[in-house]
Coordinates of all heavy atoms in Angstrom, one line a residue:
M7 N 27.0 -110.6 22.4 CA 28.3 -111.1 22.1 C 29.3 -109.9 22.2 O 29.0 -108.8 21.7 CB 28.3 -111.6 20.6 CG 29.5 -112.1 20.1 SD 29.9 -113.7 20.8 CE 31.6 -113.4 21.2
T8 N 30.4 -110.1 22.9 CA 31.4 -109.1 23.0 C 32.7 -109.4 22.4 O 33.0 -110.6 22.2 CB 31.6 -108.8 24.6 OG1 32.2 -110.0 25.1 CG2 30.4 -108.5 25.3
V9 N 33.4 -108.4 22.0 CA 34.7 -108.7 21.4 C 35.7 -109.4 22.4 O 36.5 -110.2 22.0 CB 35.4 -107.4 20.9 CG1 35.9 -106.5 22.0 CG2 36.5 -107.6 19.9
R10 N 35.4 -109.2 23.7 CA 36.3 -109.9 24.7 C 36.1 -111.4 24.6 O 37.1 -112.1 24.8 CB 35.8 -109.4 26.1 CG 36.3 -110.2 27.3 CD 37.9 -110.3 27.6 NE 38.7 -109.1 27.1 CZ 39.9 -109.3 26.6 NH1 40.5 -110.5 26.6 NH2 40.6 -108.2 26.3
Q11 N 35.0 -111.9 24.2 CA 34.7 -113.4 24.0 C 35.6 -113.9 22.8 O 36.1 -115.0 22.9 CB 33.3 -113.7 23.9 CG 32.5 -113.4 25.2 CD 31.0 -113.5 24.9 OE1 30.5 -112.6 24.2 NE2 30.3 -114.3 25.6
L12 N 35.7 -113.1 21.8 CA 36.6 -113.4 20.7 C 38.0 -113.5 21.1 O 38.8 -114.4 20.8 CB 36.4 -112.5 19.5 CG 35.2 -112.5 18.7 CD1 35.1 -111.4 17.7 CD2 35.0 -113.9 18.1
F13 N 38.5 -112.5 21.9 CA 39.9 -112.5 22.4 C 40.1 -113.7 23.3 O 41.1 -114.4 23.2 CB 40.1 -111.2 23.2 CG 40.5 -110.1 22.4 CD1 39.7 -108.9 22.3 CD2 41.7 -110.0 21.6 CE1 40.0 -107.8 21.6 CE2 42.0 -108.9 20.9 CZ 41.2 -107.8 20.8
D14 N 39.1 -114.0 24.2 CA 39.2 -115.1 25.1 C 39.4 -116.5 24.3 O 40.2 -117.3 24.7 CB 38.1 -115.2 26.1 CG 38.1 -114.1 27.1 OD1 39.2 -113.4 27.3 OD2 37.1 -113.8 27.8
A15 N 38.5 -116.6 23.3 CA 38.6 -117.9 22.5 C 39.9 -118.0 21.8 O 40.6 -119.0 21.8 CB 37.4 -117.9 21.6
R16 N 40.4 -116.9 21.2 CA 41.6 -116.9 20.4 C 42.8 -117.1 21.3 O 43.8 -117.8 20.9 CB 41.8 -115.5 19.7 CG 43.0 -115.5 18.8 CD 43.4 -114.2 18.3 NE 43.7 -113.4 19.4 CZ 44.0 -112.1 19.3 NH1 43.8 -111.4 18.2 NH2 44.3 -111.4 20.4
D17 N 42.8 -116.5 22.5 CA 43.9 -116.6 23.4 C 43.9 -117.7 24.4 O 44.8 -117.8 25.3 CB 44.1 -115.2 24.1 CG 44.3 -114.1 23.1 OD1 44.8 -114.3 22.0 OD2 44.0 -112.9 23.5
A18 N 43.0 -118.6 24.4 CA 42.8 -119.7 25.3 C 44.0 -120.6 25.3 O 44.6 -120.8 24.3 CB 41.6 -120.5 25.0
V19 N 44.5 -121.1 26.5 CA 45.5 -122.0 26.6 C 45.0 -123.3 27.4 O 44.5 -123.2 28.5 CB 46.7 -121.4 27.4 CG1 47.8 -122.4 27.6 CG2 47.2 -120.2 26.7
P20 N 45.0 -124.4 26.7 CA 45.4 -124.7 25.3 C 44.3 -124.1 24.3 O 43.2 -124.1 24.6 CB 45.5 -126.2 25.2 CG 44.4 -126.6 26.2 CD 44.5 -125.7 27.3
F21 N 44.8 -123.8 23.2 CA 43.9 -123.3 22.1 C 43.1 -124.4 21.6 O 43.6 -125.5 21.4 CB 44.7 -122.7 21.0 CG 43.8 -122.3 19.8 CD1 43.1 -121.1 19.8 CD2 43.7 -123.1 18.7 CE1 42.3 -120.7 18.8 CE2 42.9 -122.7 17.6 CZ 42.2 -121.5 17.7
R22 N 41.8 -124.1 21.4 CA 41.0 -125.1 20.7 C 40.2 -124.4 19.5 O 39.8 -123.3 19.6 CB 39.8 -125.6 21.6 CG 40.4 -126.5 22.7 CD 39.3 -127.0 23.6 NE 38.8 -125.9 24.5 CZ 37.8 -126.0 25.4 NH1 37.1 -127.1 25.4 NH2 37.5 -125.0 26.1
P23 N 40.2 -125.1 18.4 CA 39.6 -124.4 17.2 C 38.1 -124.1 17.6 O 37.5 -124.9 18.4 CB 39.6 -125.5 16.1 CG 40.8 -126.4 16.4 CD 40.9 -126.4 18.0
F24 N 37.6 -123.0 17.0 CA 36.2 -122.6 17.4 C 35.5 -122.0 16.2 O 36.1 -121.7 15.3 CB 36.3 -121.6 18.6 CG 37.0 -120.3 18.3 CD1 36.3 -119.2 17.9 CD2 38.3 -120.2 18.6 CE1 37.0 -118.0 17.6 CE2 39.0 -119.0 18.4 CZ 38.3 -117.9 17.9
G25 N 34.2 -122.0 16.4 CA 33.3 -121.4 15.3 C 32.8 -120.1 15.7 O 32.5 -119.8 16.9
I26 N 32.7 -119.2 14.7 CA 32.2 -117.9 14.9 C 30.9 -117.9 14.1 O 30.9 -118.1 12.9 CB 33.1 -116.7 14.4 CG1 34.4 -116.7 15.2 CG2 32.4 -115.4 14.5 CD1 35.4 -115.7 14.7
H27 N 29.8 -117.6 14.7 CA 28.5 -117.6 14.1 C 28.0 -116.2 13.8 O 28.1 -115.4 14.8 CB 27.4 -118.4 14.9 CG 27.9 -119.8 15.1 ND1 27.8 -120.8 14.1 CD2 28.5 -120.3 16.2 CE1 28.3 -121.9 14.6 NE2 28.7 -121.7 15.9
L28 N 27.5 -115.9 12.6 CA 27.2 -114.5 12.2 C 25.7 -114.3 12.1 O 24.9 -115.4 11.9 CB 27.9 -114.1 10.9 CG 29.4 -114.3 10.9 CD1 29.9 -114.0 9.5 CD2 30.0 -113.3 11.9
S29 N 25.2 -113.1 12.2 CA 23.7 -112.9 12.1 C 23.1 -113.3 10.9 O 21.9 -113.5 10.8 CB 23.5 -111.4 12.4 OG 24.1 -110.6 11.5
D30 N 23.8 -113.4 9.8 CA 23.3 -113.8 8.5 C 23.2 -115.4 8.3 O 22.8 -115.9 7.3 CB 24.0 -113.2 7.3 CG 25.5 -113.7 7.2 OD1 25.9 -114.5 8.0 OD2 26.2 -113.1 6.3
G31 N 23.6 -116.1 9.4 CA 23.5 -117.5 9.4 C 24.8 -118.2 9.0 O 24.9 -119.5 9.2
R32 N 25.8 -117.5 8.6 CA 27.1 -118.1 8.2 C 27.9 -118.5 9.5 O 27.7 -117.8 10.5 CB 27.9 -117.2 7.3 CG 27.3 -117.0 6.0 CD 28.1 -116.1 5.1 NE 28.2 -114.8 5.7 CZ 29.3 -114.1 5.8 NH1 30.5 -114.5 5.2 NH2 29.4 -112.9 6.3
S33 N 28.8 -119.4 9.3 CA 29.7 -119.7 10.4 C 31.1 -119.8 9.8 O 31.3 -120.2 8.7 CB 29.4 -121.2 11.0 OG 28.1 -121.1 11.7
L34 N 32.1 -119.3 10.6 CA 33.5 -119.3 10.2 C 34.2 -120.1 11.2 O 34.0 -120.0 12.4 CB 34.0 -117.9 10.0 CG 33.2 -117.0 9.1 CD1 33.7 -115.6 9.3 CD2 33.4 -117.5 7.7
I35 N 35.2 -120.9 10.8 CA 36.0 -121.7 11.7 C 37.4 -121.1 11.9 O 38.0 -120.8 10.9 CB 36.2 -123.2 11.3 CG1 34.8 -123.8 11.0 CG2 37.0 -124.0 12.2 CD1 33.9 -123.9 12.2
V36 N 37.8 -120.9 13.2 CA 39.2 -120.4 13.5 C 39.9 -121.6 13.9 O 39.7 -122.2 15.0 CB 39.1 -119.3 14.5 CG1 40.5 -118.9 14.9 CG2 38.3 -118.2 14.1
R37 N 40.9 -122.1 13.1 CA 41.6 -123.4 13.3 C 42.9 -123.2 14.1 O 43.5 -124.1 14.6 CB 41.8 -124.1 12.0 CG 40.6 -124.5 11.3 CD 40.9 -125.3 10.1 NE 39.8 -125.4 9.2 CZ 38.6 -126.1 9.4 NH1 38.5 -126.7 10.5 NH2 37.6 -126.1 8.5
H38 N 43.3 -121.9 14.2 CA 44.6 -121.6 14.8 C 44.5 -120.2 15.3 O 43.9 -119.3 14.7 CB 45.8 -121.8 13.8 CG 47.1 -121.7 14.4 ND1 47.7 -120.5 14.6 CD2 48.0 -122.6 14.9 CE1 48.9 -120.7 15.2 NE2 49.1 -122.0 15.4
P39 N 45.2 -119.8 16.4 CA 45.0 -118.5 16.9 C 45.5 -117.4 16.0 O 45.0 -116.3 16.0 CB 45.8 -118.4 18.2 CG 46.5 -119.7 18.3 CD 45.9 -120.7 17.3
E40 N 46.5 -117.7 15.1 CA 46.9 -116.7 14.2 C 46.0 -116.5 13.0 O 46.2 -115.7 12.1 CB 48.3 -117.1 13.7 CG 49.4 -117.1 14.8 CD 50.7 -117.5 14.3 OE1 50.9 -117.9 13.1 OE2 51.7 -117.4 15.1
M41 N 44.9 -117.3 13.0 CA 43.9 -117.2 11.9 C 42.8 -116.2 12.2 O 41.8 -116.1 11.5 CB 43.4 -118.5 11.5 CG 44.4 -119.5 11.0 SD 43.9 -121.1 10.7 CE 43.1 -120.8 9.1
L42 N 42.9 -115.4 13.4 CA 41.9 -114.4 13.7 C 42.7 -113.1 14.1 O 43.4 -113.2 15.1 CB 41.1 -114.9 14.8 CG 40.1 -113.9 15.4 CD1 39.1 -113.5 14.3 CD2 39.4 -114.4 16.7
S43 N 42.4 -112.1 13.4 CA 43.0 -110.8 13.7 C 41.8 -109.8 14.1 O 40.8 -109.8 13.3 CB 43.8 -110.1 12.6 OG 44.8 -111.0 12.3
I44 N 41.9 -109.1 15.1 CA 40.9 -108.1 15.5 C 41.5 -106.7 15.4 O 42.6 -106.5 15.9 CB 40.4 -108.5 16.9 CG1 39.8 -109.9 17.0 CG2 39.3 -107.5 17.4 CD1 39.5 -110.4 18.3
S45 N 40.8 -105.8 14.8 CA 41.2 -104.5 14.6 C 41.5 -103.8 16.0 O 40.9 -104.1 17.0 CB 40.3 -103.6 13.8 OG 39.1 -103.4 14.5
S46 N 42.3 -102.7 15.9 CA 42.6 -102.0 17.1 C 41.5 -101.3 17.8 O 41.4 -101.0 19.0 CB 43.8 -101.0 16.8 OG 43.3 -100.0 15.9
R47 N 40.4 -101.0 17.0 CA 39.2 -100.4 17.5 C 38.2 -101.4 17.9 O 37.0 -101.1 18.3 CB 38.7 -99.3 16.6 CG 39.7 -98.2 16.5 CD 39.1 -97.1 15.7 NE 40.1 -96.1 15.5 CZ 39.8 -94.8 15.3 NH1 38.6 -94.4 15.3 NH2 40.8 -93.9 15.1
N48 N 38.5 -102.7 17.7 CA 37.6 -103.8 18.0 C 36.2 -103.8 17.3 O 35.3 -104.3 17.7 CB 37.3 -103.8 19.6 CG 38.5 -104.0 20.4 OD1 39.5 -104.6 19.9 ND2 38.5 -103.6 21.6
R49 N 36.2 -103.2 16.1 CA 35.0 -103.1 15.3 C 35.0 -104.2 14.2 O 33.9 -104.6 13.8 CB 34.9 -101.7 14.6 CG 34.8 -100.6 15.6 CD 33.4 -100.3 16.1 NE 32.6 -100.0 14.9 CZ 31.3 -100.4 14.9 NH1 30.7 -101.0 15.9 NH2 30.6 -100.2 13.8
T50 N 36.1 -104.5 13.7 CA 36.2 -105.5 12.6 C 37.2 -106.6 13.0 O 38.1 -106.4 13.8 CB 36.6 -104.9 11.2 OG1 37.8 -104.3 11.4 CG2 35.6 -103.9 10.8
A51 N 37.0 -107.8 12.4 CA 38.0 -108.9 12.5 C 38.2 -109.5 11.2 O 37.4 -109.4 10.3 CB 37.4 -109.9 13.5
I52 N 39.4 -110.1 11.0 CA 39.7 -110.9 9.8 C 39.9 -112.3 10.2 O 40.6 -112.6 11.1 CB 41.0 -110.3 9.1 CG1 40.8 -108.8 8.8 CG2 41.3 -111.2 7.9 CD1 42.1 -108.2 8.2
V53 N 39.1 -113.2 9.5 CA 39.2 -114.6 9.7 C 39.9 -115.2 8.5 O 39.4 -115.0 7.4 CB 37.9 -115.3 10.0 CG1 38.0 -116.8 10.1 CG2 37.2 -114.6 11.2
Y54 N 41.0 -115.8 8.7 CA 41.8 -116.4 7.6 C 41.4 -117.8 7.4 O 41.3 -118.6 8.4 CB 43.3 -116.3 7.9 CG 43.8 -114.9 8.0 CD1 43.8 -114.2 9.2 CD2 44.1 -114.1 6.9 CE1 44.2 -112.9 9.4 CE2 44.6 -112.8 7.0 CZ 44.6 -112.2 8.2 OH 45.0 -110.9 8.3
G55 N 41.2 -118.3 6.2 CA 40.9 -119.7 5.9 C 42.1 -120.5 5.6 O 43.2 -120.0 5.3
S56 N 42.0 -121.8 5.7 CA 43.1 -122.7 5.5 C 43.5 -122.7 4.0 O 44.6 -123.2 3.6 CB 42.8 -124.1 6.0 OG 41.6 -124.6 5.4
D57 N 42.7 -122.2 3.1 CA 43.0 -122.1 1.7 C 43.5 -120.8 1.2 O 43.4 -120.4 0.1 CB 41.8 -122.5 0.9 CG 40.6 -121.5 1.1 OD1 40.7 -120.6 2.0 OD2 39.6 -121.6 0.4
N58 N 44.1 -120.0 2.2 CA 44.7 -118.7 2.0 C 43.6 -117.6 1.7 O 43.9 -116.5 1.3 CB 45.7 -118.7 0.9 CG 47.0 -119.4 1.3 OD1 47.4 -119.3 2.4 ND2 47.6 -120.1 0.3
S59 N 42.3 -118.0 1.9 CA 41.2 -117.0 1.8 C 41.2 -116.2 3.1 O 41.8 -116.6 4.1 CB 39.9 -117.6 1.5 OG 39.5 -118.5 2.6
W60 N 40.5 -115.1 3.1 CA 40.2 -114.3 4.3 C 38.9 -113.6 4.2 O 38.4 -113.3 3.0 CB 41.4 -113.4 4.6 CG 41.8 -112.5 3.5 CD1 42.7 -112.9 2.5 CD2 41.4 -111.2 3.2 NE1 42.9 -111.8 1.6 CE2 42.1 -110.8 2.0 CE3 40.5 -110.3 3.8 CZ2 41.9 -109.5 1.5 CZ3 40.3 -109.1 3.3 CH2 41.0 -108.7 2.1
E61 N 38.3 -113.3 5.3 CA 37.1 -112.6 5.3 C 37.1 -111.5 6.4 O 37.4 -111.8 7.6 CB 35.9 -113.5 5.5 CG 34.6 -112.8 5.4 CD 33.5 -113.9 5.1 OE1 33.8 -115.0 4.8 OE2 32.3 -113.4 5.0
V62 N 36.7 -110.3 6.1 CA 36.5 -109.3 7.1 C 35.1 -109.3 7.6 O 34.1 -109.3 6.8 CB 36.8 -107.9 6.5 CG1 36.7 -106.7 7.5 CG2 38.2 -107.8 5.9
I63 N 34.9 -109.3 8.9 CA 33.6 -109.3 9.5 C 33.4 -108.2 10.5 O 34.4 -107.7 11.0 CB 33.3 -110.7 10.2 CG1 34.3 -110.9 11.3 CG2 33.3 -111.8 9.2 CD1 34.0 -112.1 12.2
D64 N 32.2 -107.7 10.6 CA 31.8 -106.7 11.6 C 31.6 -107.4 12.9 O 30.7 -108.3 12.9 CB 30.6 -106.0 11.1 CG 30.1 -104.9 12.0 OD1 30.5 -104.8 13.2 OD2 29.4 -104.0 11.5
V65 N 32.4 -107.1 13.9 CA 32.3 -107.8 15.2 C 30.8 -107.7 15.8 O 30.4 -108.6 16.5 CB 33.3 -107.2 16.2 CG1 33.1 -107.8 17.6 CG2 34.7 -107.6 15.7
D66 N 30.1 -106.6 15.5 CA 28.7 -106.5 16.0 C 27.8 -107.5 15.4 O 26.7 -107.6 15.9 CB 28.2 -105.0 15.7 CG 28.9 -104.0 16.6 OD1 29.5 -104.3 17.7 OD2 28.8 -102.8 16.2
L67 N 28.2 -108.1 14.3 CA 27.3 -109.1 13.7 C 27.6 -110.5 14.1 O 26.9 -111.5 13.7 CB 27.5 -109.0 12.1 CG 27.0 -107.7 11.5 CD1 27.2 -107.7 10.0 CD2 25.6 -107.3 11.9
V68 N 28.5 -110.7 15.1 CA 28.8 -112.0 15.6 C 27.7 -112.3 16.7 O 27.5 -111.5 17.6 CB 30.2 -112.1 16.3 CG1 30.4 -113.4 17.0 CG2 31.2 -111.8 15.2
T69 N 27.0 -113.4 16.5 CA 25.9 -113.8 17.4 C 26.4 -114.8 18.5 O 25.8 -114.7 19.6 CB 24.8 -114.4 16.6 OG1 25.2 -115.5 15.9 CG2 24.2 -113.4 15.7
S70 N 27.4 -115.6 18.1 CA 27.9 -116.5 19.1 C 29.2 -117.1 18.7 O 29.7 -117.0 17.6 CB 26.9 -117.7 19.4 OG 26.8 -118.5 18.3
V71 N 30.0 -117.6 19.7 CA 31.2 -118.3 19.5 C 31.1 -119.7 20.1 O 30.6 -119.8 21.2 CB 32.4 -117.6 20.2 CG1 33.7 -118.4 20.1 CG2 32.6 -116.2 19.6
R72 N 31.3 -120.7 19.3 CA 31.2 -122.1 19.7 C 32.5 -122.7 19.9 O 33.3 -122.9 19.0 CB 30.4 -122.9 18.8 CG 30.1 -124.3 19.3 CD 29.2 -125.1 18.4 NE 28.9 -126.4 19.0 CZ 29.7 -127.4 19.0 NH1 30.9 -127.3 18.5 NH2 29.3 -128.6 19.6
I73 N 32.8 -123.1 21.1 CA 34.1 -123.8 21.5 C 33.8 -125.2 21.9 O 33.1 -125.4 22.9 CB 34.8 -123.0 22.6 CG1 35.1 -121.6 22.3 CG2 36.1 -123.7 23.0 CD1 35.6 -120.7 23.4
P74 N 34.2 -126.1 21.1 CA 33.9 -127.6 21.4 C 34.5 -128.0 22.7 O 35.6 -127.5 23.2 CB 34.4 -128.4 20.2 CG 35.3 -127.5 19.5 CD 35.0 -126.0 19.9
A75 N 33.9 -128.9 23.4 CA 34.4 -129.5 24.7 C 35.7 -130.3 24.4 O 35.9 -130.8 23.3 CB 33.3 -130.4 25.3
L76 N 36.5 -130.3 25.4 CA 37.7 -131.1 25.3 C 37.3 -132.5 25.4 O 36.4 -132.9 26.1 CB 38.7 -130.8 26.5 CG 39.4 -129.4 26.4 CD1 40.2 -129.2 27.7 CD2 40.3 -129.4 25.2
A77 N 38.0 -133.4 24.7 CA 37.8 -134.8 24.7 C 38.2 -135.4 26.1 O 39.3 -135.0 26.6 CB 38.5 -135.5 23.6
V78 N 37.4 -136.2 26.7 CA 37.7 -136.8 28.0 C 38.3 -138.2 27.8 O 37.7 -139.0 27.1 CB 36.4 -136.8 28.9 CG1 36.7 -137.5 30.2 CG2 35.8 -135.5 29.1
T79 N 39.4 -138.4 28.3 CA 40.0 -139.7 28.2 C 40.0 -140.4 29.6 O 40.2 -139.8 30.6 CB 41.6 -139.6 27.8 OG1 42.3 -138.8 28.7 CG2 41.6 -139.0 26.4
V80 N 39.7 -141.6 29.5 CA 39.6 -142.4 30.8 C 40.7 -143.4 30.9 O 41.2 -144.0 30.0 CB 38.2 -143.2 30.8 CG1 38.1 -144.0 32.1 CG2 37.1 -142.1 30.7

C-alpha cells in the first residue's frame, strides 16, 4: 500500500467515498475528500468522522483502500 493510492482515492474526480483498511482489522470510511488529511511527510493521516471525531493513523499500517464501483445505469 502506498500513500499515492490514498492521494489518488481522495483526489479522484468524481470523488467516491472509500474505505481504508488497517493491519489491526479496523476499517475507516472517508465520505468526503476533506475528511482525509495526509501529513507533509506522508507518514500519518487524519481521518475525520461524520460525528466530529477524528483518528490519526500510521500510513504504513494501511493494508488496502476499497473504492466501490460506480453504479451502472441502463
Side-chain angles (χ1 to χ4, degrees):
M7 181 70 229
T8 67
V9 73
R10 170 61 29 213
Q11 291 167 303
L12 288 175
F13 279 114
D14 289 347
R16 184 194 64 188
D17 299 337
V19 177
F21 175 82
R22 291 183 284 176
F24 61 92
I26 298 174
H27 303 281
L28 304 173
S29 61
D30 64 2
R32 292 180 300 138
S33 294
L34 304 170
I35 305 297
V36 178
R37 300 186 194 289
H38 189 275
E40 293 179 356
M41 296 177 81
L42 175 65
S43 297
I44 301 169
S45 69
S46 61
R47 294 185 185 208
N48 298 334
R49 299 270 306 141
T50 58
I52 300 174
V53 180
Y54 299 92
S56 57
D57 61 352
N58 291 325
S59 64
W60 50 275
E61 186 159 355
V62 178
I63 60 171
D64 183 337
V65 172
D66 288 340
L67 299 179
V68 175
T69 58
S70 66
V71 172
R72 182 175 188 283
I73 302 170
L76 286 174
V78 178
T79 56
V80 179

